[in-house]
Amino acid sequence: MTATAIAEYFRDKIINLPLEIVSESLSNAVTPLHPTNGMSAYDIFLKLKDDHGIWVCPNGGDMKDKIFRVGHMGCLTSNDYDKLVVALKEVLA
């Protein structure tokens, strides 16, 4: 799949999750996400990494607890994103 297709695939899968895409000009390379359920974005990053072995991109500085990013470049498949979505549902519950 192209980066465009995989980005669209992922974004379609998270529509009903408590996550807001926070970009006015989205890139196909990355999706920046803000949790809307009050959870810390950095805590979500840690839970995905530690509990599920899934790495997303944490933010630093003032945005550390507000935004994390999901990349769409490289050797990624829809199966990878299916696993991520299942893990996100668990972490965000």
Side-chain angles (χ1 to χ4, degrees):
M1 295 179 93
T2 66
T4 301
I6 204 74
E8 289 173 0
Y9 181 85
F10 172 72
R11 293 169 187 158
D12 286 344
K13 292 282 188 177
I14 63 164
I15 286 175
N16 294 319
L17 295 180
L19 296 168
E20 174 187 10
I21 296 173
V22 289
S23 176
E24 294 177 17
S25 179
L26 273 177
S27 161
N28 290 322
V30 67
T31 300
L33 297 169
H34 167 69
T36 59
N37 65 353
M39 287 188 74
S40 158
Y42 192 75
D43 287 345
I44 293 169
F45 157 74
L46 290 175
K47 288 179 183 293
L48 289 172
K49 177 178 72 74
D50 296 340
D51 298 345
H52 299 276
I54 296 173
W55 286 79
V56 296
C57 304
N59 243 34
D62 293 343
M63 302 303 280
K64 177 181 177 182
D65 292 313
K66 297 178 183 172
I67 295 175
F68 67 96
R69 293 159 287 148
V70 174
H72 308 300
M73 301 299 293
C75 187
L76 297 166
T77 67
S78 58
N79 189 47
D80 294 320
Y81 289 98
D82 291 341
K83 291 177 185 176
L84 173 56
V85 170
V86 167
L88 280 169
K89 287 178 181 178
E90 181 180 312
V91 167
L92 294 166

